[in-house]
């Protein structure tokens, strides 16, 4: 790749952002940052109490991720952030205009199975349904690619790196 990308790995819960994000970063030879680690203490307190975050809580979190992405501009980096809504991606782009989005996509049944295994117990279908309901796919004017998450993490990583390379040629 000519200029190293700053990649935001996005997608609903369970698509494998935390699993494949670091593998993609390794493959690109750039650092990985976990989006969840950018929550301010107030958000962590809310989440620990089981209170869902609202958009007012999300802006400072997205700004912190955006700030990391901005610092990596020209150097390259991979950061995870579900970024389900266009407005969240707009906020990230406002801080880091060059960021590209890698949307991990998969069918609901597959993701549901993976989540059920991760949690070690049945995942209420409503929780994943609400994620899919909130999801707004990348639009034509947004720099990014969508990659399917069937197969092994290594296969997804290869697919993602190939898709990111194709992005450079367009
Ligand atoms: N390609 C894969 N094959 C099999 N299992 C996978 C794959 N990718 C991820 N998993 C498993 O699926 C579960 C969800 O993955 P992961 O935690 O990476 O998703 P996430 O997108 O980071 O979710 P969240 O938004 O909740 O943080 C984990 O238990 C992970 O080990
Ligand atoms: Mg995760």
């Amino acid at each position: 790749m000519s200029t190293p990308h700053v990649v935001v790995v996005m997608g609903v819960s369970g698509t494998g952002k935390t699993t494949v994000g670091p593998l993609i970063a390794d493959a690109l030879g750039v650092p990985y940052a976990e989006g969840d680690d950018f929550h301010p203490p107030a958000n962590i307190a809310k989440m620990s109490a089981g209170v869902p975050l609202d958009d007012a809580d999300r802006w400072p979190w997205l700004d912190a991720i955006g700030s990391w992405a901005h610092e990596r501009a020209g150097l390259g980096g991979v950061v995870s952030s579900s970024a389900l809504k266009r407005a969240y991606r707009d906020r990230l782009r406002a801080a880091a205009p060059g960021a590209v989005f890698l949307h991990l996509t998969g069918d609901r049944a597959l993701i549901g199975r993976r989540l059920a295994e991760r949690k070690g117990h049945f995942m209420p279908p409503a929780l994943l349904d609400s994620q899919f309901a909130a999801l707004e796919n990348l639009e034509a004017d947004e720099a990014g690619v969508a990659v399917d998450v069937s197969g092994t993490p290594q296969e997804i990583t290869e697919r993602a790196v190939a898709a990111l390379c194709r992005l450079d040629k367009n």
Side-chain angles (χ1 to χ4, degrees), residues 10 46 48 59 64 74-75 83 123-125 151-152 155 162:
M10 61 170 281
K46 240 179 149 170
S48 310
W59 303 132
L75 302 168
M123 162 109 177
T152 64
E155 285 166 341

Side-chain angles (χ1 to χ4, degrees), residues 1-9 24-25 28 30-33 65-80 92-93 95-102 143-145 164 167-168:
M1 263 172 278
S2 35
T3 312
H5 282 302
V6 177
V7 182
V8 180
V9 182
I24 294 167
L28 298 176
V30 298
Y32 172 75
I65 295 174
S67 168
W68 187 88
H70 175 68
E71 282 165 22
R72 297 302 309 167
L75 302 168
V78 177
V79 61
S80 62
L92 291 166
R93 271 188 297 259
V100 300
F101 289 82
L102 175 72
V145 286
L164 289 166
L167 203 58
D168 286 333

Side-chain angles (χ1 to χ4, degrees), residues 12-19 36 114-115 118 149 151-153 156:
V12 300
S13 180
T15 42
K17 301 179 294 295
T18 301
T19 304
D36 290 339
R114 287 181 181 170
L115 273 177
R118 176 177 72 169
V149 296
T152 64
I156 299 160

